[in-house]
Amino acid sequence: MSEGHKLLEIFVGIVFALITYQIYLHQYFKGTKFILVRSSIARHTADCNDLNQHIEELKSTYLHVKSTDYGHSDLSDTSHYNMRRRTWQELGKSNRIHNCSASVLKNANSQPFKYLCKYFDIRVDEETLSRFEHVLNNFAAAEQGKYLLENERNHIISMVDDNIPRIISTLSKKRLTRELGFQPIDLSNLYFPVFTFHYISAGGNSSAKCDIKLDIENLDKFIAYLSDLVKFRNSIEGQRSLMTSSLREKIKRRDNYTCQGCWLSAHQVTNLLLEIDHIMPLARGGLTCESNLQTLCWKCNRTKGAKVLQAQ
Ligand SMILES: [Zn+2]
């Protein structure tokens, strides 16, 4: 037998095996045995999907802010020989990109928060501070929530692992997860707002940009930066705390990682997402201070949020 003939035979063999496996998968997922497995965890799957939806809502927290620890930023060279200015004019329509001179770019890189406020029209006042605290609170819960959710999903799948053929749980984990009814979990950080300072030389051949990404770390710093500059109304500064990541942790510890609404505790329920709630909402003049903060599980917090919205 020639070498080419042998290779062809191996190739045909592989294709045949792949097709057979696909048919096997198709039949397995349609079979009654799998349907029973799926329905045995249906309640848990629905819970996971609910939390997934909730996390996506947290990530989309409204961040329409018209736009003395300076945050970090990245300066990168985006020079391009055949740069077309028109492209950047298109991009410039976004409220998160500011086309600027070389000197503004340089300053924005060394003092990002100062230039963020100045060029993206972010007012330095108490209202803005509260809004960013709200964003940080929700983003921090989303960041924690997505990993708790992934753990919980893996835990649920492990409960039925014995009833699922080993070849499927090893080779087709992703498909199995989908067929069990779990919605995909987005673990990316793409939802953090990014503000960009962009410089293009007159000829268009040279350019550079500076990105300020408001991730958890930078939001923490930005809030501290704002609070240093804000002149607080009614001199409430004394009783006001800042909704930083460390305050969130402090409140959870104080409440012994227990929801103050339904008393579920992270000690009893693993992968329970706990959030920090303003007892009197910020929108109704509530303050960020320890006596106005409590720990709620995500379900209680969501229910409360819906009630507050209805009452408005
Ligand atoms: Zn609760």
Side-chain angles (χ1 to χ4, degrees):
M1 219 179 336
S2 72
E3 194 74 4
H5 201 134
K6 250 188 200 165
L7 278 175
L8 183 69
E9 247 182 25
I10 293 170
F11 177 73
V12 170
I14 291 171
V15 170
F16 183 74
L18 284 175
I19 293 173
T20 311
Y21 181 60
Q22 286 306 319
I23 294 171
Y24 165 68
L25 275 184
H26 182 78
Q27 285 176 341
Y28 174 76
F29 287 128
K30 288 269 176 293
T32 42
K33 197 173 167 207
F34 178 72
I35 290 169
L36 278 175
V37 169
R38 189 175 58 199
S39 57
S40 74
I41 54 164
R43 197 171 52 85
H44 301 289
T45 323
D47 250 10
C48 273
N49 289 341
D50 241 18
L51 177 55
N52 205 343
Q53 172 73 31
H54 174 67
I55 290 169
E56 289 307 310
E57 282 161 19
L58 289 176
K59 287 183 190 173
S60 68
T61 302
Y62 183 58
L63 184 67
H64 180 71
V65 266
K66 286 187 176 175
S67 307
T68 305
D69 173 13
Y70 296 110
H72 57 77
S73 65
D74 302 311
L75 186 66
S76 53
D77 189 350
T78 57
S79 297
H80 201 278
Y81 183 64
N82 268 330
M83 167 94 73
R84 280 169 302 174
R85 258 194 120 90
R86 200 149 43 91
T87 318
W88 298 113
Q89 274 165 4
E90 291 282 320
L91 283 170
K93 282 176 189 159
S94 152
N95 65 347
R96 302 236 176 105
I97 295 180
H98 181 75
N99 291 310
C100 62
S101 68
S103 67
V104 167
L105 178 79
K106 189 167 156 276
N107 291 334
N109 192 51
S110 59
Q111 299 186 337
F113 295 155
K114 186 176 169 188
Y115 279 76
L116 180 65
C117 292
K118 194 169 166 186
Y119 286 94
F120 287 92
D121 210 12
I122 296 174
R123 286 200 320 269
V124 177
D125 59 17
E126 225 179 305
E127 199 192 324
T128 305
L129 179 61
S130 289
R131 207 175 306 161
F132 276 103
E133 285 182 296
H134 178 61
V135 171
L136 172 64
N137 198 25
N138 284 357
F139 282 5
E143 280 302 288
Q144 200 187 6
K146 64 191 191 187
Y147 293 107
L148 291 175
L149 174 60
E150 197 188 25
N151 285 344
E152 183 63 12
R153 185 186 67 184
N154 292 340
H155 169 68
I156 293 166
I157 295 176
S158 75
M159 293 190 322
V160 291
D161 207 33
D162 288 346
N163 299 321
I164 290 164
R166 183 54 43 92
I167 187 169
I168 292 181
S169 54
T170 323
L171 291 183
S172 308
K173 182 94 191 275
K174 221 171 162 180
R175 166 109 185 245
L176 171 67
T177 308
R178 194 177 72 227
E179 295 281 355
L180 282 170
F182 291 99
Q183 281 163 8
I185 303 172
D186 179 9
L187 292 174
S188 75
N189 296 328
L190 293 174
Y191 67 97
F192 291 127
V194 177
F195 296 85
T196 302
F197 285 89
H198 201 154
Y199 159 72
I200 308 161
S201 68
N205 285 334
S206 153
S207 76
K209 70 187 180 81
C210 164
D211 285 333
I212 303 167
K213 184 182 192 181
L214 290 184
D215 54 13
I216 305 290
E217 189 190 344
N218 250 348
L219 273 169
D220 261 335
K221 289 180 179 172
F222 187 50
I223 283 165
Y225 170 82
L226 286 176
S227 83
D228 277 348
L229 298 177
V230 167
K231 304 277 174 279
F232 290 94
R233 282 191 300 255
N234 313 322
S235 15
I236 52 169
E237 195 171 5
Q239 35 172 315
R240 196 190 195 287
S241 308
L242 281 182
M243 177 56 91
T244 55
S245 298
S246 65
L247 179 63
R248 289 172 46 83
E249 209 37 54
K250 188 176 177 191
I251 299 298
K252 284 188 207 170
R253 218 178 315 124
R254 182 198 68 190
D255 294 342
N256 195 20
Y257 300 95
T258 303
C259 172
Q260 304 298 294
C262 67
W263 305 108
L264 265 187
S265 137
H267 300 301
Q268 309 157 318
V269 183
T270 43
N271 303 325
L272 177 68
L273 176 61
L274 293 171
E275 299 182 354
I276 303 299
D277 168 59
H278 284 83
I279 299 168
M280 170 64 86
L282 288 170
R284 293 208 204 142
L287 284 181
T288 298
C289 58
E290 289 182 29
S291 59
N292 190 41
L293 293 173
Q294 64 175 348
T295 308
L296 287 182
C297 73
W298 69 275
K299 282 187 179 174
C300 286
N301 201 17
R302 194 172 61 160
T303 311
K304 183 183 166 181
K307 277 182 190 158
V308 169
L309 269 182
Q310 269 177 2
Q312 274 173 357

